[in-house]
Amino acid sequence: MTIKEFFTKNKPTILFFLFVLLSLIFLSIQTITEQVHSIRVFFVYFFSVSYIPVYKIVNYPFNTFNKFLQLSYMYEENMKLKELVKKFYMDKMYYSSLVEEQHHQQLVNELSKNIGYKLYLAEVIFRDCKNWYNECVVLVKSSSTLSRDMPVIVYVEPDKFYFVGRIWTIDKNIAKILLITNPLSMLPVKIKDKPIYGVLIGESSVKLSMDYLLLEDDVRIGDVVVTSSIGNLPGGIEIGRVIDVEVSLTGFKKAVVKLNYNINALKNLIIVSF
Amino acid sequence: MKKFFITLAVLFFIIVFDVLFSKIFPFYLRPNLWLVYVVFISLFLTHTEAVLIGFISGLIYDILHLTLFGTNTLLLTATGYLLGWLNKRVNETLLNVQVLSILFGFMVYNILYFLISLLLKTVSYNFIILLSFFATFIIGFLELQVLIILYRRYDLI
């Protein structure tokens, strides 16, 4: 047997020993590690593009199963959170109303000092839609002594007061207001800066009629109507503006007055006490 | 030449799947695709090729998984050499032969690994790696069937 024949016959064995020898050399020489690491990093980087879809495919059933398991906990947690949100919302509303009330109270106190009258803050708590322009119910915050016919005004920032009505009935700290637009309300008024007096009568709308004006009275469109100081009302509180003048059947002049404020948006009112 | 390119393509795809499996499975559940490829070469090609592919596969395995460099080169070369003795001695077309070959290859690989860990203190063997048998067996069997189809398609076996 020649050497060539021997090699041909025992090729696998020779190769095996050669490779084993190489492997042992690899095992014994550890200095190659850094280079090997670099090659490995290259391979991992090269194939990293294919990770994402595979991860998605593999993780999907696990994620779905986990979500399913967490469903009951999530529902419970969701209910608790809803309750919490509801509570916080109520707290926030309460806090906002407190802040608003405080703000109005401070405002009323300041105004009270400036004007010289005692003012009480009142909040509209009810308005009947059938008597929308006739009456409203207010809650008086401070424990004040209310009495009938006390004037009720509304303050519009920065420095405007408008006459709203008078206290009609009282029950503890709840009072019903007779609005100026009520046909039962008959208020002695005058034209601002003119010695012209009349009676303002409500007509269940934003327009009122100022009656009993003398024929010689110089009433013009655009004149401002204010409260007269006749009776127990402070004078000079603005009400509205003349938009039309006509002669009534009674032989007097009659002026149509339009309110200068939005009577539909009454919320915080002020009760004036002498 | 055809065999060379097919082998290169197979090696490429095994690298891809090996990298993917190494990211998906923990090391003790990862299928050993290289071992199955060596088993396939041992059964269907020649003894020399089994040793050669064993060596190359081991080398790539060591590069990819950063084990102690040379361990898998030695193991897969030895596995290829030992399984290469089955070449032309068994009917490799039978499914039970293929299944038993994978099982045998896995046993040889792990026994050799254990023995080397006894001989070399730098190599450590963890018995938990035996859990990878299930993955190797299931995925390896599929891999073996794919390889058979591929090599048959190009008249290499």
Side-chain angles (χ1 to χ4, degrees):
Chain A
M1 186 189 283
T2 60
I3 297 171
K4 194 180 177 183
E5 282 174 349
F6 175 78
F7 272 107
T8 313
K9 197 180 175 184
N10 298 303
K11 200 176 170 185
T13 313
I14 293 165
L15 270 178
F16 168 67
F17 282 112
L18 180 68
F19 289 150
V20 166
L21 190 67
L22 273 172
S23 305
L24 289 172
I25 291 168
F26 289 152
L27 274 170
S28 56
I29 303 168
Q30 291 302 314
T31 49
I32 201 167
T33 312
E34 276 187 17
Q35 285 81 350
V36 170
H37 183 69
S38 310
I39 298 167
R40 183 179 181 269
V41 167
F42 168 75
F43 272 105
V44 171
Y45 179 74
F46 190 75
F47 295 112
S48 59
V49 183
S50 53
Y51 291 172
I52 297 164
V54 172
Y55 270 135
K56 277 184 181 172
I57 292 164
V58 171
N59 286 335
Y60 182 76
F62 291 106
N63 288 342
T64 313
F65 184 68
N66 283 336
K67 277 177 190 169
F68 182 73
L69 282 180
Q70 287 169 358
L71 208 61
S72 59
Y73 296 107
M74 280 171 69
Y75 178 75
E76 202 175 321
E77 199 177 330
N78 193 23
M79 294 305 288
K80 280 180 186 170
L81 282 173
K82 272 184 180 172
E83 286 294 319
L84 210 62
V85 166
K86 204 186 282 178
K87 186 179 170 294
F88 282 143
Y89 183 74
M90 295 302 286
D91 286 353
K92 189 189 162 196
M93 295 268 284
Y94 179 67
Y95 177 75
S96 308
S97 67
L98 277 182
V99 168
E100 198 181 347
E101 190 185 321
Q102 189 69 25
H103 171 73
H104 280 105
Q105 192 61 53
Q106 276 180 356
L107 193 73
V108 164
N109 290 343
E110 278 177 26
L111 289 172
S112 191
K113 278 179 193 170
N114 295 340
I115 295 169
Y117 295 119
K118 264 190 177 180
L119 304 178
Y120 302 110
L121 187 68
E123 188 188 351
V124 176
I125 55 171
F126 180 71
R127 276 185 87 172
D128 187 3
C129 58
K130 287 177 183 170
N131 290 308
W132 189 257
Y133 288 111
N134 294 339
E135 61 190 44
C136 71
V137 179
V138 295
L139 174 72
V140 183
K141 296 293 168 66
S142 54
S143 54
S144 54
T145 317
L146 300 175
S147 62
R148 284 193 64 184
D149 289 335
M150 281 172 94
V152 180
I153 57 173
V154 63
Y155 174 71
V156 179
E157 288 186 51
D159 57 350
K160 286 278 184 183
F161 289 100
Y162 296 105
F163 191 85
V164 171
R166 284 171 289 180
I167 291 181
W168 202 358
T169 57
I170 304 160
D171 183 13
K172 292 179 183 173
N173 58 344
I174 293 173
K176 191 187 274 186
I177 308 294
L178 178 72
L179 294 176
I180 198 171
T181 46
N182 193 323
L184 295 175
S185 164
M186 292 182 183
L187 190 72
V189 290
K190 70 184 279 269
I191 301 292
K192 193 178 181 184
D193 300 330
K194 287 180 186 174
I196 302 168
Y197 291 83
V199 178
L200 193 69
I201 304 166
E203 290 185 344
S204 291
S205 81
V206 288
K207 287 176 187 171
L208 302 93
S209 66
M210 187 178 172
D211 216 335
Y212 304 114
L213 294 167
L214 299 174
L215 290 172
E216 61 268 26
D217 285 343
D218 182 23
V219 182
R220 292 182 183 180
I221 293 171
D223 282 350
V224 176
V225 179
V226 296
T227 53
S228 66
S229 48
I230 299 168
N232 59 351
L233 291 176
I237 303 172
E238 204 171 303
I239 297 169
R241 202 171 284 273
V242 175
I243 57 167
D244 195 13
V245 183
E246 59 193 47
V247 178
S248 70
L249 295 171
T250 51
F252 290 97
K253 263 187 181 174
K254 183 178 163 186
V256 179
V257 178
K258 189 175 178 293
L259 290 175
N260 268 353
Y261 60 94
N262 184 4
I263 200 167
N264 287 341
L266 296 178
K267 195 186 173 198
N268 290 299
L269 303 177
I270 297 166
I271 296 171
V272 185
S273 173
F274 295 96
Chain B
M1 202 57 174
K2 196 162 61 175
K3 190 188 277 185
F4 175 74
F5 283 113
I6 292 292
T7 309
L8 272 184
V10 170
L11 286 175
F12 175 78
F13 280 105
I14 292 178
I15 290 171
V16 172
F17 281 101
D18 200 25
V19 172
L20 286 177
F21 286 144
S22 70
K23 292 287 165 190
I24 296 165
F25 296 109
F27 77 97
Y28 52 88
L29 291 178
R30 191 168 58 225
N32 196 335
L33 303 177
W34 301 104
L35 177 67
V36 178
Y37 187 48
V38 171
V39 169
F40 167 77
I41 298 288
S42 309
L43 287 176
F44 289 89
L45 297 178
T46 62
H47 195 175
T48 312
E49 283 168 328
V51 177
L52 190 66
I53 292 294
F55 178 75
I56 295 166
S57 303
L59 209 60
I60 298 170
Y61 190 102
D62 280 333
I63 289 169
L64 287 180
H65 298 287
L66 208 69
T67 49
L68 185 65
F69 198 80
T71 314
N72 281 287
T73 317
L74 183 64
L75 287 171
L76 286 174
T77 308
T79 310
Y81 179 72
L82 290 174
L83 286 173
W85 289 108
L86 295 174
N87 193 262
K88 310 295 181 207
R89 288 186 173 84
V90 291
N91 184 359
E92 67 273 9
T93 52
L94 296 173
L95 279 179
N96 51 1
V97 170
Q98 292 167 8
V99 168
L100 285 172
S101 298
I102 294 172
L103 182 64
F104 183 60
F106 188 83
M107 279 170 59
V108 168
Y109 178 85
N110 281 284
I111 289 166
L112 283 174
Y113 203 162
F114 180 66
L115 290 175
I116 288 171
S117 71
L118 292 179
L119 289 172
L120 302 171
K121 285 185 179 177
T122 46
V123 180
S124 61
Y125 181 77
N126 193 341
F127 280 98
I128 200 170
I129 212 165
L130 290 173
L131 287 172
S132 68
F133 169 73
F134 300 105
T136 306
F137 185 73
I138 295 163
I139 296 172
F141 183 73
L142 292 172
E143 184 196 349
L144 198 66
Q145 300 311 310
V146 171
L147 287 169
I148 292 166
I149 292 165
L150 182 74
Y151 274 72
R152 276 201 183 132
R153 180 161 163 62
Y154 290 98
D155 297 325
L156 297 172
I157 52 174

